[in-house]
């Protein structure tokens, strides 16, 4: 249920953010991407820090959409999603790299105001996470 919710809602929120994001929103997202990249480059020992920045990026996109309800709900989802990471250890450099690239592509499309593209990218990003979760024992 959470997977279905995230795929639909986060895709739509990202599309709205593509239409409403301010230059300050884009700067914040790019700053968060730099932080994520530093953690990714450190490897597995920075896994938790990488996940925390990933969550902050999702919430920042919701904030850029300019709807406090989306921001509140997605903050709640992402504040609690850590339990899934802990229950299903996806810790690995390939996963981190794939996830980081997704986030870069999402922010680029958002910056270019490509609402349809960013919706699709976000849905694919969430779908990939869900596949990893479902493939874990």
């Amino acid at each position: 249920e959470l997977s279905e919710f995230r795929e639909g809602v986060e895709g739509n929120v990202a599309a709205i953010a593509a239409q409403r994001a301010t230059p300050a929103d884009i700067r914040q997202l790019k700053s968060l991407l730099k932080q994520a990249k530093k953690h990714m480059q450190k490897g597995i020992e920075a896994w938790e820090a990488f996940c925390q920045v990933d969550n902050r990026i999702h919430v920042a996109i919701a904030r850029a959409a300019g709807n406090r309800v989306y921001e509140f709900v997605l903050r709640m989802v992402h504040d609690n999603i850590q339990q899934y990471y802990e229950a299903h250890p996806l810790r690995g450099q390939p996963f981190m790299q794939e996830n980081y690239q997704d986030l870069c592509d999402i922010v680029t499309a958002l910056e270019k105001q490509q609402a349809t593209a960013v919706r699709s990218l976000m849905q694919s990003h969430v779908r990939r996470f869900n596949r990893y979760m479902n493939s874990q024992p």
Side-chain angles (χ1 to χ4, degrees), residues 102-132:
D102 282 354
L103 296 171
C104 288
D105 294 344
I106 288 165
V107 171
T108 297
L110 201 147
E111 181 179 24
K112 292 180 179 180
Q113 299 179 317
Q114 298 172 331
T116 302
V118 80
R119 176 184 287 113
S120 177
L121 288 165
M122 182 62 84
Q123 288 173 329
S124 294
H125 174 70
V126 172
R127 231 178 270 125
R128 181 180 296 117
F129 172 80
N130 295 338
R131 276 196 311 272
Y132 282 132

Side-chain angles (χ1 to χ4, degrees), residues 47-75:
W47 170 254
E48 288 183 27
F50 177 83
C51 291
Q52 289 172 358
V53 174
D54 177 315
N55 290 347
R56 290 173 56 204
I57 289 170
H58 283 268
V59 172
I61 290 170
R63 187 176 311 111
N67 181 316
R68 291 178 292 181
V69 175
Y70 286 142
E71 182 182 353
F72 174 80
V73 171
L74 290 179
R75 181 181 308 278

Side-chain angles (χ1 to χ4, degrees), residues 2 11-12 18-19 31 38-39 44 47-48 52 58 75 77 88 90 92 94 99 101 107 112-114 118 135:
L2 179 60
N12 289 331
Q19 298 168 350
S31 175
K38 287 179 185 177
H39 295 309
I44 202 63
W47 170 254
E48 288 183 27
Q52 289 172 358
H58 283 268
R75 181 181 308 278
V77 167
H88 304 286
L90 301 174
N99 197 41
Q101 187 59 55
V107 171
K112 292 180 179 180
Q113 299 179 317
Q114 298 172 331
V118 80
S135 71

Side-chain angles (χ1 to χ4, degrees), residues 9-64:
V9 171
E10 290 202 58
N12 289 331
V13 169
I16 293 167
Q19 298 168 350
R20 297 180 181 171
T22 66
D25 293 326
I26 301 300
R27 283 192 301 275
Q28 180 188 22
L29 287 165
K30 287 182 175 182
S31 175
L32 289 168
L33 283 175
K34 286 180 185 177
Q35 291 175 38
K37 184 176 184 178
K38 287 179 185 177
H39 295 309
M40 179 193 66
Q41 290 172 333
K42 289 179 185 175
I44 202 63
E45 64 272 5
W47 170 254
E48 288 183 27
F50 177 83
C51 291
Q52 289 172 358
V53 174
D54 177 315
N55 290 347
R56 290 173 56 204
I57 289 170
H58 283 268
V59 172
I61 290 170
R63 187 176 311 111

